[in-house]
Amino acid sequence: MQLLILFLCVAVLLVAISGWKLHPFLALLAIGLLYGIACGLGPVRSVELLTEGFAGTLQWIAIIMVLGAMIGEISNDTGGASLIARSTLKLSGEKRLPYAMGITGYIISIPVFVDVAYIMMQSVTEALAAKSKQNILGVGLSLATGLTATHALMPPTPGPLAVAGILDGQLGRIILINFFVAFSAMAGGLAWAIFYCRKVELDADRIIRERYASKSKDTLSKGVSSDSKSQPHNQSIWIACLPIFAPLVLIAIGSFTPSESTNHWSTMARFLGSPLVALSIGVILATLQYGRDVSMSRLSSVTERAIEKTALVVMLTGAGGAFGHVIKNSGVTETISQYASEIESVGFLFPFLLASIITTTTGSITVSMITTASIVAPALTTLGISAEMAAALIGSGSFCVFHVNSSFFWLLNRLHDAPPTVLLKTYTVQSLCMGLGALAAVLLLKLCGLQ
């Protein structure tokens, strides 16, 4: 009965978000309360569990999300993201432009939200498409595949960070596993962008070529329009990349430092590797990109924008954690254990399939990942999956598939005047290729003995 109630509640949750257009924040809290009452926890205890779960999930994740967004905002202000794109293109060459764009997206989306990053890189994308005489959709979706790969799989982006917290996984191990899985997902998306999407020509392509035909060769080689407001302040590529990679390295080192070790270096490694400290160091390093232009007023403005952009995701993460906390305390784990033999054959794929269903229904990576993690967390032992592998499976499934209920779908429609029918054949199919590519990487890790 508990399983039936859970499945019904998840079904109602999906209908409420996608069909009734109820905001996910309200839907998660309302369904969590109804689930608790239906399972016999009582209304008072259900409310207590919701508030406990909400507070427990956000006790450290909220701060990290804001710090990660600050790094992205500073990169946007200083033109660091554009510098990374140009440097990548210089290394790869024009013929390998899709690979360069994919790698660029892979890097800059670690601290930056996908929609924001794509808008930020729009002038770069259009200039590079014009220079290389390639169609904008092929170049743009090459960038999008890198952006989406890290957004769904690499902390400290909100979704993977929330999943790590809900599943109680080791963040350093999740980073190492998902680094490989994200590259495989990007490879799947790039394959579709190169072999199909680059052949699709839009009316926007003619407009872009005419617009950039009169621009100087120097401006095109930089990939930024001459009136761009985000010109680099003569910083090096290393300074642009340092705020992104330094926190990841610190977190990884801290996670693999033995907790029982009490010597000075181990203590320091765990301190610097805590996500809060690591991301704070990333913000400090990011301010180096301002050079002499740094000021308290600019930092205050960046902080305000970061808080505004992360507020919705923070609340959504808290609501997902509250829903998951009710599930954990409902006794459903014991119920699932009774059917371990029946679900054992598909147990490993369960997180992937569930995340795929929720993404296809809601169109939101974050909602899909948080909801799936909340449902899967109590059953990890029964399914025989580590928290880290479950996080990789959930992230892989969250790619499948994006269509008309995805905000990024309509972002591409607006920016490039791409008809929905064209995007269904390009962007939607690309998301499926990414999901299957990521799943292939997880299965390979399993064959290598990783559980």
Side-chain angles (χ1 to χ4, degrees), residues 202-215:
L202 304 172
D203 292 338
D205 287 303
R206 175 182 52 81
I207 298 174
I208 291 171
R209 288 164 190 159
E210 291 176 354
R211 183 192 309 161
Y212 283 92
S214 60
K215 292 189 177 292

Side-chain angles (χ1 to χ4, degrees), residues 182-195:
F183 252 100
S184 183
M186 183 177 67
L190 281 175
W192 184 250
I194 292 171
F195 292 110

